[in-house]
Amino acid sequence: FLLSNVYLLRHIENGKYFIWLVFISAWACDTGAYFIGINFGKHRLTPKLSPKKSVEGAVGGTLTAVAAGFLFGWALTYFIPEYKGLHLAIGGAIVCFAGSVFAQFGDLTASAIKRYKDIKDFGKILPGHGGVLDRFDSVIFTAPVVYLTILSLQGLY
């Protein structure tokens, strides 16, 4: 049900471009959280649920996603001629901020399910990455947030 929002995004105006914000916000957040957490993480976010995640990583992931959304929105001004200025860049940053927060909830939810079922990974296709579902657990929660945020921002531009 939640992933159906990716399909819904495709059908709004310029949705073929905006659909990428789902993946950018989730994966930029995951990547930023990993690298910031590894290098600067001191305070554990949820030690029992996901012992390696840190508060610093969570903040760093959100900031990375915001920067990626800003850059993506800025680059879109070259492909969507009716938008000029920083409108898309600021919109991309806002969308990725909201998406990254919920991406982290998706990741923690998947961790909770794994802890409850006493398993380490959801699969063996991507060794060391927790399986294919671990690449998409954050996207599941991000898709509806990105869709609703874009719908709410369209009225502003």
Side-chain angles (χ1 to χ4, degrees):
F1 171 73
L2 297 174
L3 282 176
S4 67
N5 288 277
V6 173
Y7 175 76
L8 293 174
L9 257 174
R10 179 69 176 91
H11 292 287
I12 63 174
E13 185 180 356
N14 295 311
K16 66 182 178 183
Y17 301 113
F18 298 147
I19 199 167
W20 289 103
L21 288 171
V22 173
F23 304 103
I24 289 170
S25 62
W27 293 341
C29 181
D30 283 349
T31 303
Y34 175 77
F35 285 111
I36 300 293
I38 289 290
N39 292 307
F40 303 104
K42 301 265 188 274
H43 304 91
R44 298 293 135 215
L45 186 64
T46 54
K48 288 186 179 182
L49 185 60
S50 192
K52 292 184 179 179
K53 290 186 180 16
S54 67
V55 173
E56 294 83 1
V59 171
T62 298
L63 294 176
T64 303
V66 167
F70 183 87
L71 291 173
F72 180 76
W74 178 70
L76 275 184
T77 60
Y78 294 103
F79 298 102
I80 306 175
E82 61 266 20
Y83 292 109
K84 293 295 176 201
L86 292 176
H87 295 300
L88 282 178
I90 293 169
I94 292 169
V95 168
C96 284
F97 172 78
S100 69
V101 170
F102 281 86
Q104 294 181 57
F105 282 123
D107 194 39
L108 290 171
T109 300
S111 294
I113 292 169
K114 289 191 289 188
R115 292 272 181 232
Y116 178 74
K117 296 304 272 178
D118 200 29
I119 58 174
K120 173 144 175 50
D121 294 333
F122 280 126
K124 294 178 174 58
I125 293 176
L126 297 172
H129 291 275
V132 174
L133 185 58
D134 270 4
R135 296 295 98 213
F136 288 94
D137 56 6
S138 53
V139 172
I140 293 169
F141 278 60
T142 303
V145 172
V146 167
Y147 176 67
L148 293 172
T149 306
I150 287 174
L151 283 183
S152 65
L153 288 176
Q154 279 188 331
L156 298 177
Y157 298 117

